[in-house]
Amino acid sequence: MRGPDRESLKQRLQRRRRLILEASRRTTADIDDLREAERDPEVEEGSQSEQEQRKLVEVGEVELREIAHIDAALARIDAGTYGVCRECGEVIEARRLEALPFAATCADCADHEERLAVATRLTRS
Ligand SMILES: [Zn+2]
């Protein structure tokens, strides 16, 4: 495999995974704090904190998705398929992997998927 060696790549991904988990634990603690504050009768009607909670939950979902991507990338490293596009089987550009270490598709296929997603959203609305 070209580019950074397996071990340093795995360490990089695992480090990123830990950072996300730490951040999401803080997010969960923030949500608990907000819920706690809502039970406090001293606090005004909680529409602002409700918005805040929703925002925090959304952040949590993004984090979970990224962790799933990282886990999949770690599995691909072990399977020896890391860096190969899931869609077309071509080698993923080194520059792309540098920017997005858990990319599962090459830039072309990612563009294609993105266009499909946009088209699907347009058809639905
Ligand atoms: Zn591809």
Side-chain angles (χ1 to χ4, degrees):
M1 145 177 190
R2 283 180 289 175
D5 67 280
R6 263 174 187 237
E7 280 314 307
S8 68
L9 191 62
K10 278 173 88 166
Q11 277 168 19
R12 216 177 122 189
L13 285 164
Q14 274 155 356
R15 197 178 119 79
R16 173 101 190 118
R17 195 182 191 285
R18 264 200 310 275
L19 287 175
I20 296 170
L21 278 179
E22 277 166 22
S24 77
R25 265 199 292 273
R26 273 198 298 277
T27 305
T28 314
D30 285 348
I31 292 174
D32 288 345
D33 283 352
L34 283 169
R35 293 209 170 119
E36 199 62 44
E38 275 195 344
R39 279 196 290 272
D40 189 338
E42 298 288 307
V43 176
E44 298 261 320
E45 267 307 288
S47 75
Q48 204 202 328
S49 81
E50 258 170 47
Q51 273 178 13
E52 197 81 5
Q53 272 188 33
R54 259 200 299 277
K55 211 165 67 195
L56 288 171
V57 170
E58 274 169 27
V59 170
E61 282 169 7
V62 171
E63 284 160 348
L64 281 180
R65 255 202 303 275
E66 189 166 351
I67 284 177
H69 282 309
I70 291 173
D71 284 345
L74 286 167
R76 287 197 302 276
I77 293 173
D78 285 337
T81 57
Y82 179 83
V84 176
C85 176
R86 183 184 65 193
E87 296 299 322
C88 68
E90 294 290 324
V91 172
I92 300 174
E93 302 83 350
R95 236 186 16 216
R96 177 168 165 77
L97 285 177
E98 188 57 41
L100 206 66
F102 46 79
T105 53
C106 69
D108 283 348
C109 291
D111 277 356
H112 185 65
E113 276 183 13
E114 182 63 25
R115 275 197 298 275
L116 270 183
V118 170
T120 313
R121 273 200 297 277
L122 286 176
T123 340
R124 275 193 199 136
S125 58

